[in-house]
């Protein structure tokens, strides 16, 4: 199998699994228990916290573990708006980019129903947030600005730091969803200038069901789930094995960044794009001229006649050849709507539906590439034979 869907989820690193196993067996104790096994579980969570913090240059106390990045986005947005509503009730506006993950955009839709005012920052044809538009939208009535660090469908890096600056100048809080960027490009809380930063373990070769919200020291976020854990910021008995796996995954990612993994992955991605274009000369790589994550290729396939191909059929044929890719985001696969990210970039519905996302991860290499390219060549040649 060639697994080229790492923006949907990544395989669990062997080191993370090994570190998790003892906490699924003998080390099952509750970290809140005062006995020895409980204290050892607590220590393990503490170590994981330090490792996740280190990946993004944060302090351990700034890490709030959650059960997913979806939950972390909710805690960031709902938790901070709750506090703003108490302290500065005149601030009723939230400003988010048009290409945020559904866990943010669907929440924003609900906030509108609750009486909040929301504004979407548009993106240009290259998939980059329009900073001029952001400047116009962020004002003294703004409570919170949320812009992702890298988009999950195109991999395009966003001007999050510039948006953080605009938010700061307007007296608003700034949240960045760094789920896709963390561990793939160097990243720090201070560098982004974020008050709140969302991370997910399963996008960096950690387990599913573990996320984190980094809450910068001094920023006040109301809990969504009450309880004494996570310094009263997120109640619920900690998922110790998953958090331990998250910590190891974060540490491995930090090491890989210093050992040049991004450049290696980018080289495979660039080869894939070049060879896809050799097969489909009219194919277009979305965001090709923007700064992008090293692992992501969003390709719109146009036939030799210039017409958009049927992306769903391409996906299914690749699947039959054991090549795993996505149409846009994994979460939108199966939905009937064309990708909101691609349409925000100006693609027509048929073009969005002719788009596949190839996303590479650690260990991707010659074998995966060869299988994917063989399968694509067979599909293209079959198409020609049928014509
Ligand atoms: N934010 C972004 C940008 C994502 O790509 C994803 C997952 O696809 C999420 C948030 C949600 O992450 P989780 O699966 O941990 O809830």
């Amino acid at each position: 199998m060639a697994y080229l869907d790492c923006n949907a989820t990544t395989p669990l690193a062997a080191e993370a699994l090994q570190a998790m196993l003892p906490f699924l067996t003998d080390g099952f104790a509750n970290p809140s228990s005062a006995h020895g096994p409980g204290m050892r579980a607590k220590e393990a969570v503490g170590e994981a916290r330090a490792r996740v913090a280190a990946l993004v240059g944060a302090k351990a106390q700034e890490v709030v573990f959650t059960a997913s990045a979806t939950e972390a986005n909710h805690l960031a947005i709902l938790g901070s708006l709750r506090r703003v509503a108490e302290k500065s009730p005149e601030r009723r506006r939230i400003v988010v980019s048009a290409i945020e993950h559904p866990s943010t955009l669907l929440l924003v839709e609900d906030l509108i129903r609750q009486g909040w005012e929301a504004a979407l920052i548009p993106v240009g044809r290259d998939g980059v947030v329009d900073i001029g538009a952001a400047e116009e939208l962020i004002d003294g009535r703004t409570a919170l600005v949320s812009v992702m660090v890298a988009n999950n469908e195109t991999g395009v890096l966003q001007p999050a730091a510039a948006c953080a600056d605009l938010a700061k100048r307007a007296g608003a809080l700034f949240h960045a969803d760094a789920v896709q960027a963390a561990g793939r490009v160097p990243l720090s809380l201070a560098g982004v200038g974020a008050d709140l930063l969302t991370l997910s373990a399963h996008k960096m070769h950690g387990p599913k069901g573990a996320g984190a919200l980094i809450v910068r020291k001094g920023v006040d976020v109301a809990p969504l789930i009450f309880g004494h854990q996570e310094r009263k910021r997120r109640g619920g008995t900690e998922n110790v094995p998953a958090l331990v796996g998250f910590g190891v995954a974060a540490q491995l990612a930090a090491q890989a960044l210093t050992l040049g993994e991004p450049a290696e992955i980018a080289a495979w991605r660039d080869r894939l794009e070049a060879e896809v274009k050799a097969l489909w000369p009219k194919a277009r790589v979305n965001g090709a001229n923007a700064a992008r994550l090293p692992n992501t290729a969003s390709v719109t396939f146009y036939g030799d006649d210039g017409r958009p191909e049927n992306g769903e059929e391409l996906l299914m044929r690749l699947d039959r050849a054991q090549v795993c890719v996505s149409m846009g985001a994994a979460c939108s696969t199966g939905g009937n709507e064309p990708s909101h990210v691609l349409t925000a970039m100006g693609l027509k519905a048929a073009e969005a539906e002719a788009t596949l996302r190839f996303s590479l991860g650690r260990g991707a290499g010659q074998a995966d590439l060869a299988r994917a390219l063989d399968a694509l060549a067979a599909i293209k040649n079959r198409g020609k034979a049928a014509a």
Side-chain angles (χ1 to χ4, degrees), residues 68-70 73 101 103 148 152 177 179-180 200 202-203:
S68 63
T70 297
N73 281 347
H101 187 262
S103 57
M148 65 199 340
N152 45 305
D177 178 338
V179 163
Q180 296 290 348
S200 182
H202 75 101
K203 311 285 184 178

Side-chain angles (χ1 to χ4, degrees), residues 306-330:
R307 288 219 295 267
E309 299 272 23
N310 181 338
E312 205 170 325
E313 201 178 313
L314 286 177
L315 180 102
M316 283 184 321
R317 286 191 179 178
L318 285 170
D319 183 41
R320 263 182 249 139
Q322 297 190 334
V323 178
C324 303
V325 302
S326 271
M327 279 187 75

Side-chain angles (χ1 to χ4, degrees), residues 10 12-13 15-17 19-20 23 44-45 47-56 63-69 72 178-179 182-183 197-214 230 239-254 362:
T10 53
L12 184 63
E15 295 91 331
L17 175 64
M20 290 167 70
F23 296 96
V45 172
E47 195 177 357
R49 194 184 304 285
R51 288 170 167 170
V52 169
L55 177 65
V56 293
V63 176
V64 179
F65 282 129
T66 60
S68 63
V179 163
L197 192 79
T198 293
L199 306 174
S200 182
H202 75 101
K203 311 285 184 178
M204 56 172 91
H205 302 278
K208 292 163 193 60
L213 182 68
I214 313 293
E230 299 297 300
N239 183 352
V240 180
L243 299 183
V244 166
F246 190 1
V248 171
Q251 190 180 36
L252 291 172
R362 186 168 308 141

Side-chain angles (χ1 to χ4, degrees), residues 82-137:
R82 173 93 174 267
R83 290 294 185 243
V84 174
E86 290 161 3
K87 290 181 199 148
S88 316
E90 72 287 359
R91 290 185 183 265
R92 295 295 299 167
R93 169 183 271 246
I94 40 185
V95 179
V96 307
S97 90
I99 56 165
E100 292 302 306
H101 187 262
S103 57
T104 293
L105 289 180
L106 294 174
L107 174 60
V108 168
E109 276 176 27
D110 192 60
L111 287 166
I112 295 169
R113 286 191 286 272
Q114 291 175 39
W116 288 87
E117 186 194 319
L120 293 185
I121 315 170
V123 297
R125 184 84 196 172
D126 55 1
V128 181
V129 155
D130 179 340
I131 197 72
E135 192 163 6
E136 279 176 26
L137 294 170

